[in-house]
Amino acid sequence: TGGSGGPDIISTVEFNHTGELLATGDKGGRVVIFQREPESKNAPHSQGEYDVYSTFQSHEPEFDYLKSLEIEEKINKIKWLPQQNAAHSLLSTNDKTIKLWKITERDKRPEGYNLKDEEGKLKDLSTVTSLQVPVLKPMDLMVEVSPRRVFANGHTYHINSISVNSDCETYMSADDLRINLWHLAITDRSFNIVDIKPANMEDLTEVITASEFHPHHCNLFVYSSSKGSLRLCDMRAAALCDKHSKLFEEPEDPSNRSFFSEIISSVSDVKFSHSGRYMLTRDYLTVKVWDLNMEARPIETYQVHDYLRSKLCSLYENDCIFDKFECAWNGSDSVIMTGAYNNFFRMFDRNTKRDVTLEASRESSKPRAVLKPRRVCVGGKRRRDDISVDSLDFTKKILHTAWHPAENIIAIAATNNLYIFQDKVNSEMH
Amino acid sequence: MFARGLKRKSAEDAEDADGGVAGVPAAPSYTLQRQSLLDMSLVKLQLCHMLVEPNLCRSVLIANTVRQIQEEMTQDGTWRVVAPQAAGRAPLDRLVSTEILCRSGREQEGEGDGPLPDPAPGQAPRRPQSSPWGLDGSREGRGGFQKSLDHIFETLENKTPGSVEELFSDVDSSYYDLDAVLTGMVGGAPAGPGLPAFAPAAAAPPSSTCRSDLGELEHAVEILVET
């Protein structure tokens, strides 16, 4: 947590593949990595809590002299690479440049050099009368972070997504109009695999909003658009994947049509399920589950905050209608989660069809307290702790949420505060 | 406040509301609502162009909204030049209707006034970032985007191609990568196939006046795009 507003606003949250590490990126270009403390009998109350592991400056503000434009240092996305040795690696990106960072631990240091003294100064050779073998002695843990690759100049427009391929060798980056495929070891070129830029920019009516590789099939990826459609592409079919393999689009409901229909249908996030069988999308008012085998419509639709449907004019005026909320699956793909306003976030159980609204705030969450479900009332009977729609604070938005890959632990970013909630009672996935 | 689907009032209702009352109409007509939305959208698009880094997705969505309204108004035959008696009105009046619209809409719902953060009429949507380099630097090409909001409103009010050209006459396009210039600027496309909903109860076929005025606005937007 930091001061109010400004560079401390968290802009992305991501668990690594084991859930041991949690990375956050912020508006000031910093990355903070948290590590889960191993459960120990000595301190039973701090079982599995997350402490700061490393902090580093990933991106700095830049100035593009040709276009006279400033490039923000805000971290848009972080994605972890699968761990292949003792070191951890992650990709972090701002609007224009992706960087590969390597995180290593050092807990030993050599002592007993022949030519250098304790401070590292060269010894006077005449004082060296015998030779010794330097030994490794334990030292306080030091976490070192170093930039290993910088993938620059691949994007004219703003990068909104990055996704590591299951082959662990390549990854993709998507901006508003194009998607590029990179090899993790090669920084001076990338392959353009999707390009929806029209020949005449005046004809532009649709942009790419998010994209992700399939978790198991290294040739498949999906990208979403501002018109609410999903395109599943197969890289084996063609070098340029403009012709989608499958187009997922729900027909418009004519009874709900308004001038805001398109804006609220714009997909702000798309996530494959862990199983790879489903996709989860978030648009302004709903989250939807899609079956990869059915393109005609989603198999499930959940209302996040339908009470906002009658407020769309105001939300258009104050720009809230353009807020991009993320969504997340739990480890067993049985529960989905997304953020909302007033520091509320919502969870939907796909099996029981029950949903809950919870709040991330200092007032309502003391350590080890149980989160109380919240309710938004829309007129009619009002219970004591209900919030009315007009009392919602639209400046408190939960855009970024993440779910531990295996356990019931969630990370919620509320402006410049990070909340980590654990379900101790039901630690196992159902 | 816009209802879930904008319901068309009868032509009579529309006339009553448009007939102009000194006070606030009890239920703003569909036409007034739609005009306010159009005004708001044009303001947002203009402000997009003044930003350091316009958000392309947002610009495209707003431009599509403008296009939808344009198309519907063309079908209605309601796309017309601002009436002569209204020409002298300050641009702010058109935006006041938005505030009235949203306020009366909330009252309709019986929720009471809530702290939904409606900006005051004419106020720009907030953009948090400010460039430390400033936009008034030595780059001559950026000067065109520094016109005051009033000037831009006036220009749009007049909707004459000449005044829009003036607005951007000092922009030196040779400094720009075309992509960067066009990012966030989306021109008005020619009217495509009409929208299915909102078939007008009784609509005069678009008059030739109507077409030429639509053409003028398109021309104005095209100039913004081609700069």
Side-chain angles (χ1 to χ4, degrees):
Chain A
T1 65
S4 62
D8 291 334
I9 294 176
I10 300 171
S11 48
T12 187
V13 186
E14 187 82 5
F15 281 99
N16 75 339
H17 297 276
T18 61
E20 182 210 352
L21 298 176
L22 174 67
T24 64
D26 69 20
K27 198 159 175 277
R30 276 189 331 166
V31 171
V32 181
I33 302 177
F34 298 84
Q35 183 186 43
R36 193 176 185 200
E37 293 308 314
E39 305 193 2
S40 82
K41 301 191 182 75
N42 297 335
H45 288 301
S46 62
Q47 280 175 27
E49 290 195 355
Y50 286 82
D51 295 326
V52 176
Y53 177 67
S54 173
T55 302
F56 61 96
Q57 189 72 33
S58 170
H59 287 70
E60 300 274 3
E62 288 171 47
F63 193 72
D64 180 335
Y65 290 95
L66 191 63
K67 300 175 189 174
S68 232
L69 295 173
E70 186 187 59
I71 300 169
E72 265 195 299
E73 67 275 29
K74 173 168 71 89
I75 308 295
N76 292 337
K77 282 281 153 43
I78 290 173
K79 283 285 147 79
W80 291 91
L81 268 54
Q83 192 176 7
Q84 291 174 328
N85 49 42
H88 292 99
S89 299
L90 60 78
L91 289 169
S92 67
T93 187
N94 68 349
D95 283 339
K96 298 284 186 178
T97 304
I98 308 127
K99 295 186 184 180
L100 174 65
W101 294 90
K102 192 162 169 188
I103 301 129
T104 49
E105 287 186 3
R106 189 194 291 269
D107 61 356
K108 296 183 185 51
R109 73 159 175 255
E111 279 179 24
Y113 282 109
N114 291 292
L115 299 177
K116 290 187 288 182
D117 65 17
E118 290 303 306
E119 280 109 50
K121 290 201 302 247
L122 285 176
K123 285 183 188 173
D124 180 357
L125 282 182
S126 60
T127 66
V128 179
T129 53
S130 62
L131 290 178
Q132 57 185 346
V133 177
V135 290
L136 290 174
K137 294 268 176 72
M139 59 178 263
D140 288 340
L141 179 67
M142 214 165 69
V143 179
E144 298 175 331
V145 181
S146 60
R148 300 305 275 237
R149 305 267 190 277
V150 177
F151 304 90
N153 304 317
H155 289 276
T156 307
Y157 304 98
H158 291 181
I159 297 173
N160 53 55
S161 316
I162 49 176
S163 178
V164 182
N165 201 338
S166 52
D167 67 9
C168 301
E169 288 185 351
T170 58
Y171 76 95
M172 70 153 129
S173 56
D175 66 32
D176 295 311
L177 298 180
R178 298 189 177 105
I179 302 181
N180 293 335
L181 182 71
W182 303 81
H183 193 286
L184 283 164
I186 299 170
T187 59
D188 62 355
R189 63 179 173 277
S190 64
F191 294 97
N192 176 242
I193 54 176
V194 174
D195 188 338
I196 65 167
K197 178 168 183 264
N200 188 348
M201 278 295 269
E202 287 178 27
D203 298 334
L204 180 66
T205 58
E206 191 173 9
V207 301
I208 297 169
T209 51
S211 80
E212 195 180 50
F213 267 120
H214 191 279
H216 310 310
H217 303 303
C218 57
N219 56 300
L220 286 182
F221 66 94
V222 67
Y223 71 91
S224 59
S225 85
S226 55
K227 288 199 171 172
S229 64
L230 299 173
R231 285 169 173 82
L232 187 70
C233 302
D234 187 338
M235 293 196 293
R236 294 173 305 190
L240 190 61
C241 302
D242 282 353
K243 304 253 183 301
H244 46 265
S245 299
K246 290 190 183 181
L247 172 66
F248 297 78
E249 205 168 30
E250 185 171 25
E252 198 170 21
D253 176 5
S255 65
N256 261 343
R257 185 98 175 75
S258 78
F259 284 122
F260 306 111
S261 293
E262 183 184 309
I263 299 178
I264 63 170
S265 76
S266 174
V267 173
S268 52
D269 194 16
V270 62
K271 294 266 171 45
F272 279 103
S273 64
H274 292 89
S275 64
R277 283 191 54 198
Y278 305 106
M279 296 180 295
L280 179 66
T281 59
R282 174 68 153 100
D283 52 60
Y284 192 62
L285 297 178
T286 71
V287 281
K288 296 181 165 132
V289 177
W290 303 77
D291 186 317
L292 255 62
N293 296 317
M294 189 163 82
E295 296 141 80
R297 72 187 70 80
I299 55 169
E300 295 156 31
T301 299
Y302 301 93
Q303 302 295 331
V304 180
H305 37 204
D306 199 55
Y307 45 78
L308 296 184
R309 199 176 286 273
S310 56
K311 312 262 177 208
L312 294 178
C313 179
S314 275
L315 295 165
Y316 179 75
E317 192 171 11
N318 65 19
D319 272 359
C320 282
I321 207 174
F322 301 107
D323 286 335
K324 291 188 192 294
F325 293 93
E326 293 171 7
C327 53
W329 297 89
N330 75 340
S332 60
D333 299 335
S334 59
V335 183
I336 56 191
M337 167 173 73
T338 189
Y341 293 108
N342 211 74
N343 278 353
F344 287 167
F345 58 99
R346 303 261 286 137
M347 290 194 200
F348 304 90
D349 189 316
R350 297 178 59 214
N351 299 324
T352 65
K353 300 301 182 198
R354 280 164 40 187
D355 62 82
V356 68
T357 303
L358 300 170
E359 183 178 359
S361 73
R362 275 189 231 265
E363 292 76 40
S364 64
S365 40
K366 309 270 187 305
R368 280 169 282 285
V370 175
L371 280 181
K372 191 178 59 172
R374 308 305 311 265
R375 227 174 71 110
V376 178
C377 74
V378 285
K381 273 193 296 205
R382 194 198 148 144
R383 295 188 213 154
R384 191 166 33 134
D385 288 328
D386 285 1
I387 313 268
S388 85
V389 182
D390 292 313
S391 308
L392 294 175
D393 187 343
F394 288 85
T395 63
K396 293 190 180 154
K397 32 195 123 189
I398 299 204
L399 304 173
H400 312 289
T401 60
W403 206 310
H404 188 288
E407 297 186 33
N408 275 346
I409 303 173
I410 57 178
I412 309 284
T415 317
N416 51 354
N417 293 317
L418 178 72
Y419 293 85
I420 301 176
F421 299 113
Q422 306 195 25
D423 184 358
K424 288 279 164 69
V425 176
N426 299 312
S427 293
E428 300 306 314
M429 286 293 143
H430 298 299
Chain B
M1 184 74 60
F2 281 79
R4 177 184 309 200
L6 291 176
K7 297 189 175 55
R8 305 264 318 160
K9 302 272 168 77
S10 71
E12 204 180 87
D13 275 348
E15 272 174 25
D16 280 347
D18 286 353
V21 271
V24 174
S29 74
Y30 174 83
T31 318
L32 189 62
Q33 289 181 341
R34 186 176 61 186
Q35 185 64 52
S36 298
L37 181 61
L38 179 63
D39 293 340
M40 202 194 323
S41 303
L42 289 171
V43 169
K44 283 181 185 295
L45 272 182
Q46 279 305 302
L47 291 167
C48 279
H49 303 164
M50 290 163 69
L51 291 174
V52 179
E53 283 266 55
N55 181 326
L56 187 62
C57 181
R58 183 174 170 274
S59 305
V60 166
L61 289 172
I62 297 171
N64 288 353
T65 307
V66 168
R67 207 175 285 124
Q68 281 181 53
I69 299 174
Q70 247 179 273
E71 285 172 7
E72 189 182 284
M73 288 174 83
T74 309
Q75 286 184 334
D76 283 355
T78 54
W79 190 263
R80 60 185 186 279
V81 180
V82 171
Q85 70 271 16
R89 261 194 297 165
L92 236 43
D93 282 1
R94 299 265 287 273
L95 289 182
V96 165
S97 61
T98 304
E99 211 251 330
I100 292 168
L101 174 73
C102 293
R103 186 183 346 129
S104 59
R106 281 208 300 280
E107 283 162 6
Q108 273 173 10
E109 289 181 15
E111 296 290 327
D113 279 330
L116 266 183
D118 280 348
Q123 182 180 329
R126 293 170 301 284
R127 294 298 285 201
Q129 66 188 83
S130 61
S131 165
W133 306 95
L135 296 175
D136 299 330
S138 54
R139 305 298 301 186
E140 188 191 347
R142 297 295 299 174
F145 294 94
Q146 295 311 301
K147 303 298 180 182
S148 71
L149 198 59
D150 282 348
H151 189 173
I152 297 208
F153 276 132
E154 262 172 4
T155 306
L156 286 179
E157 268 302 300
N158 298 336
K159 289 191 172 80
T160 59
S163 51
V164 176
E165 261 167 8
E166 240 172 61
L167 187 67
F168 289 93
S169 59
D170 56 353
V171 173
D172 182 354
S173 54
S174 67
Y175 281 102
Y176 286 89
D177 174 8
L178 197 60
D179 280 359
V181 172
L182 294 175
T183 301
M185 296 192 195
V186 184
L195 291 175
F198 311 124
S207 65
S208 59
T209 318
C210 176
R211 266 200 213 289
S212 67
D213 296 328
L214 173 63
E216 273 181 32
L217 179 64
E218 264 187 30
H219 190 108
V221 180
E222 271 170 29
I223 286 168
L224 292 172
V225 171
E226 286 159 11
T227 303

